[in-house]
Amino acid sequence: MSTAAGSFEPIADIGSWRDHPQNRWSFQNIRQIIPTSPLNAAGNNAGRDNWNTVELPELFAASDTEWSDTTNFSDLLLRAHCDGILVLHRGIPAGRWIAPWFSAESPHILFSVSKSLTGLLTGILVGNGVLDPTLPVGHYIAGLRDCVYGQCALRHLLDMTVALDFEEEYVDPQSEYVRYRIATGWNPVNQRNPGPGLEEFLKTMQATGENHGERFLYRSPNSDMLGLVIEETAGIPFAQAFSELLWQPMGAHTDGYVTLDHHGLARAAGGICVTLADLARVGQLMLHRGAACGCQVVAESWVEDTWSAGSRDAWLRGNYSHKLPHGRYRNQWYQSGDEDRCLHARGIHGQLLYINPAREVVIARVSSQPDPLDDAITAEVLAACGQIARSLGERA
């Protein structure tokens, strides 16, 4: 197995692509394993980035001890199985670190960071008058009126407050999550009888018996349902809507792609794959309140709502409050609840987009961690991001 950037032989398949160390290759070569649809970038922006950056460990070596007494940032990058990290300060690269096995020009799967991008696309459609967050999902898709999603509002999908009876058990081979992944096209299927696709699976989901809107429950199918609503209301495939309404107007440099189930439905909750640099551009879009390339891509009111709204009570009653004790969740984004009002998107296996408005810092990170969830490492990385942002703010 070569260690040159991007030159791993194709060693993963549909049954092993999330396993380590195969995931170092597969997370930047998803389209060789799973059907995908392109997310087309703007033609006039296409090409390589000419971002000349210093090495990140060198840039922040002097401040390592300010955020941790036991390790330095270089060690953390290795322990966290980081593939690449890019830091922007006031829109200018302040540092970049790329692992030997990673190609920065290759789209990398974002896992649940995809949810936050899907939230932005929803915001664009709300701003265009196509969607109303207060209306029930059944208003937009009549065939769902009799399932758990029929009477929940679009707002409940956006804020993960659907009373959905479903557990995110990533590693239990007997869990309902395995059937869900088969429906998404992420796990092996019986070729003679592939079973239901993602849309049909979503129709089978059950309610907890609670009221929608009362409690934050992190459930990935909610974001896939959001993607289905986008397709139905926009009247075009998710990938086309994403390309035309978000990816091209914000000035993405490189085509991305999104995974599809075996019926061709996009995996809006986790299947978006983009380059590290374009992920950072999404952060800049949020930092600039939805504006990019001289135009308002996402309504400023939607972005401000994402920064500042959301139910604190629902968060505290939910299943993630221990991860962010002062946080909230809004429009598929996490509010950290710290003094800098930081916002972030996160995905399994170590994906992260961190935005610090007070310090004007964006940090994009893609990784191939062996474990889907590692709360200790995530907390450490977020603490390091905070110190990086403070260090840059002090140097400005």
Side-chain angles (χ1 to χ4, degrees), residues 14 17-18 27 30 34-39 108-119 121 149 160 164 166-170 176-187 196-199 201-202 205 218-231 237-240 242 257-274 332 346-349:
I14 192 65
W17 68 275
R18 293 185 302 274
F27 285 3
I30 294 295
I34 301 172
T36 62
S37 186
L39 305 173
H108 190 290
I109 190 165
L110 301 183
F111 290 107
S112 288
V113 174
S114 303
K115 294 176 172 66
S116 302
L117 274 62
T118 298
L121 181 55
Y149 286 114
M160 290 286 184
L164 188 68
F166 182 80
E167 295 293 335
E168 300 261 329
E169 295 286 351
Y170 299 112
E176 182 75 351
Y177 203 83
V178 172
R179 194 166 73 89
Y180 168 53
R181 274 185 166 162
I182 292 173
T184 67
W186 280 24
N187 275 21
L198 182 52
E199 181 175 358
F201 177 85
L202 293 172
M205 309 214 73
Y218 185 85
R219 303 291 186 250
S220 290
N222 294 339
S223 305
D224 286 315
M225 178 55 69
L226 197 57
L228 183 59
V229 171
I230 289 170
E231 286 209 352
F238 177 89
Q240 184 179 349
F242 189 98
Y257 49 92
V258 60
T259 68
L260 306 174
D261 74 354
H262 50 273
H263 294 291
L265 183 63
R267 179 82 205 282
I272 294 175
C273 306
V274 304
Q332 307 273 291
R346 63 168 76 179
I348 58 172
H349 297 281

Side-chain angles (χ1 to χ4, degrees), residues 49 93 96 114 173 187 243 293 306 320 326 343 375:
D49 289 299
R96 188 181 77 159
S114 303
N187 275 21
S243 300
C293 301
T306 303
Y320 267 32
H326 305 289
L343 197 72
D375 288 344

Side-chain angles (χ1 to χ4, degrees), residues 16-24 27 81 83 101 349 368-371:
S16 65
W17 68 275
R18 293 185 302 274
D19 297 338
H20 192 78
Q22 295 99 308
N23 60 358
R24 287 180 171 176
F27 285 3
H81 299 271
D83 295 328
W101 56 82
H349 297 281
S368 51
Q369 288 176 193
D371 296 329

